Amino acid sequence: MFGEPCQRQHGKGLFNLVWTHYWKTDGTNAQKARCTCVGSLRAGQAHTLEHTYASCIDQNASRLFYATAALNNHVIVGADASNAFAEADGPKQEYYIRPDAAFENWWENCLKKEPMKDGDVVPILKNMQGHPEAPRLWSKHIHNILTTKMNLKATKHEPCFYK
């Protein structure tokens, strides 16, 4: 996901990081952390080269789907994917993150890599949550898996529903 630290090339996007950290409340007391980039257009670094949206089910269609499934006594299967965005290809725009102290600590202590130099940035080689194009790229990625590997077909009116 991350390339080797380097000096930023002029004209390439540079994003700050946002960290989310919490303890699970399911009795395991496991710690979870998520690192995302700040890809809002207000941050001024995103250069969206394609659509930024991902298909999403309409609320009325969702309600109708669940009601029909319940009336027909059908089983509904859903799934969650950890690190979903990172599974998809990255956007066309080459971009970097500005490493913060937490990232540098992880880089050195967990990955056992050499310390970064002052001013180094880290190239992002895959899709990263927070980039404006990330949801569309993930949607495209999972759609390809569902239609080619699982032989499902998207419904005509709701492309997020597969049969």
Side-chain angles (χ1 to χ4, degrees):
M1 168 134 202
F2 301 108
E4 291 298 317
C6 60
Q7 293 295 306
R8 179 182 179 195
Q9 293 180 17
H10 180 70
K12 307 289 185 195
L14 177 62
F15 296 93
N16 290 319
L17 296 175
V18 174
W19 288 91
T20 306
H21 181 263
Y22 64 93
W23 282 268
K24 292 183 92 174
T25 58
D26 62 358
T28 63
N29 206 29
Q31 296 185 50
K32 299 289 282 182
R34 174 176 289 155
C35 175
T36 62
C37 67
V38 181
S40 74
L41 295 176
R42 292 178 301 206
Q45 296 297 317
H47 304 288
T48 53
L49 303 176
E50 292 196 35
H51 296 293
T52 59
Y53 65 88
S55 57
C56 184
I57 187 168
D58 177 69
Q59 269 196 335
N60 290 333
S62 173
R63 290 180 183 130
L64 183 59
F65 171 75
Y66 289 121
T68 303
L71 286 171
N72 290 296
N73 211 20
H74 289 164
V75 174
I76 300 169
V77 178
D80 188 16
S82 63
N83 299 323
F85 287 116
E87 298 296 324
D89 291 332
K92 291 178 181 176
Q93 172 197 12
E94 292 180 46
Y95 66 107
Y96 304 96
I97 56 166
R98 181 181 291 118
D100 57 12
F103 186 91
E104 288 183 12
N105 182 41
W106 171 77
W107 185 264
E108 293 172 32
N109 297 318
C110 294
L111 297 183
K112 306 295 185 206
K113 302 258 190 170
E114 291 292 318
M116 295 182 200
K117 298 179 193 111
D118 284 344
D120 272 355
V121 295
V122 179
I124 303 301
L125 307 176
K126 297 290 279 179
N127 194 18
M128 186 171 191
Q129 187 172 350
H131 190 282
E133 294 182 43
R136 179 189 51 79
L137 292 167
W138 164 248
S139 179
K140 183 178 169 183
H141 175 75
I142 194 66
H143 175 80
N144 184 49
I145 291 171
L146 293 171
T147 56
T148 60
K149 294 185 178 177
M150 299 179 71
N151 294 321
L152 296 174
K153 293 189 188 311
T155 58
K156 184 175 184 178
H157 298 290
E158 289 294 339
C160 289
F161 273 145
Y162 295 85
K163 56 182 178 171

